[in-house]
Amino acid sequence: MRIGKKVAFYLAILLPILVLGMAGCGVEAPQNTFSPAGEVAEKQRTIFYMAMWPAVAILIGVWVVLVVALIRYRRRPGRPLPKQVHGNPVVEVMWTLAPLALLLGLAVPMVSTIFHLGRNPKPEALRVRVIGHQWVWEFQYPTIVDENGKPLTILGTPDRPPELHVPVGREIALEITSADVIHSFWVPRLGGKMDAIPGKFNHMWLVINEPGVYPGQCAEFCGLLHADMRLLVVAHDSEEDFQRWAQEMLARQSKGGG
């Protein structure tokens, strides 16, 4: 009876914590990595699930065995110690081979996916140069130039996050660098983060599946206004719509209003 009261006491503490924790797992948040909107983010979520669910199953199994052992073999008045066991070759071989088989089974799809995500962008991808400044992002489109040969450039401010416009369904090749300190480009619903390092270009690619607006954020602490270093990715529903936006922005840029 006393044990039953203790179990009820611990459950009364753990259950509210569990409920609060589960409440934080909703997928409606604008920067939730569990609600991917692009190919890269979907594959990264798949890798995470492949590692997480076996770990959860093992954790639950260990807890169950531990609780059963604590209850069944607990010390009771007048009861002798249970039979003591020292070494069991069969069990030891099994719990050595089982993790090895699990790791090998996970390694094949995980490593192949990591190599796929780390490949170079395709030649036909839309190239965008991403430059981090304290504390704004700058986007340059090297293949979209005005009559003076200047690439279309979008530069934000800490009060007005810049918008990176791209078409849905087309691969986007990002060349990421920094003009001052180390930053990190990250749009959680589209893909993993990439460091922006002065004097170096890092590369990543994205493909967005759904039109919409996706917020992002510098993910590397880069100074006092780091929290204001935001951005928006605007995915147009067609290539034609994107090109109309690009030509409109080029016209503004030529007039000095870009």
Side-chain angles (χ1 to χ4, degrees):
M1 184 64 183
R2 192 162 52 186
I3 292 179
K5 288 183 177 179
K6 287 184 178 179
V7 171
F9 172 75
Y10 287 123
L11 286 177
I13 296 175
L14 291 176
L15 283 178
I17 296 175
L18 181 62
V19 171
L20 289 175
M22 295 296 290
C25 297
V27 296
E28 302 302 326
Q31 298 193 51
N32 194 322
T33 56
F34 291 98
S35 180
E39 179 181 344
V40 174
E42 287 179 352
K43 291 185 181 300
Q44 289 173 337
R45 185 185 62 174
T46 299
I47 291 178
F48 176 78
Y49 282 158
M50 289 173 63
M52 184 189 73
W53 290 121
V56 170
I58 292 171
L59 176 66
I60 293 174
V62 170
W63 279 0
V64 170
V65 172
L66 182 62
V67 170
V68 170
L70 288 173
I71 295 175
R72 182 172 181 179
Y73 300 106
R74 70 185 186 278
R75 187 170 185 177
R76 297 171 182 170
R79 188 172 182 177
L81 289 175
K83 180 183 177 183
Q84 301 298 299
V85 178
H86 300 282
N88 188 319
V90 175
V91 174
E92 291 172 2
V93 169
M94 288 178 61
W95 71 37
T96 300
L97 293 180
L100 179 62
L102 176 62
L103 292 176
L104 290 176
L106 291 175
V108 174
M110 282 185 169
V111 172
S112 63
T113 302
I114 290 172
F115 273 99
H116 173 68
L117 296 179
R119 66 168 173 78
N120 291 325
K122 296 177 180 177
E124 65 271 21
L126 173 65
R127 289 177 57 206
V128 180
R129 180 165 294 172
V130 179
I131 305 172
H133 304 265
Q134 286 182 312
W135 290 272
V136 295
W137 292 102
E138 178 183 352
F139 305 126
Q140 296 179 356
Y141 297 77
T143 59
I144 303 176
V145 297
D146 61 19
E147 55 189 12
N148 298 318
K150 181 182 177 182
L152 174 60
T153 301
I154 306 297
L155 180 62
T157 69
D159 297 327
R160 182 173 59 85
E163 295 181 353
L164 172 60
H165 287 246
V166 295
V168 161
R170 182 176 177 185
E171 186 168 305
I172 313 301
L174 301 177
E175 305 170 356
I176 302 172
T177 188
S178 171
D180 38 51
V181 301
I182 297 177
H183 305 278
S184 186
F185 178 85
W186 189 30
V187 184
R189 293 190 64 195
L190 302 183
K193 63 189 74 169
M194 180 64 74
D195 281 350
I197 301 174
K200 180 180 179 180
F201 283 95
N202 285 328
H203 301 268
M204 65 181 293
W205 59 273
L206 301 171
V207 177
I208 304 175
N209 299 331
E210 307 167 7
V213 179
Y214 303 98
Q217 173 74 45
C218 176
E220 182 78 28
F221 180 71
C222 55
L224 292 178
L225 297 183
H226 160 71
D228 291 335
M229 195 168 171
R230 297 163 290 149
L231 66 121
L232 295 173
V233 175
V234 180
H236 294 254
D237 58 4
S238 67
E239 180 72 25
E240 293 75 17
D241 191 40
F242 166 72
Q243 291 297 338
R244 279 195 293 272
W245 169 85
Q247 294 307 314
E248 179 182 343
M249 296 305 294
L250 275 179
R252 290 188 189 179
Q253 180 173 292
S254 297
K255 296 177 182 177

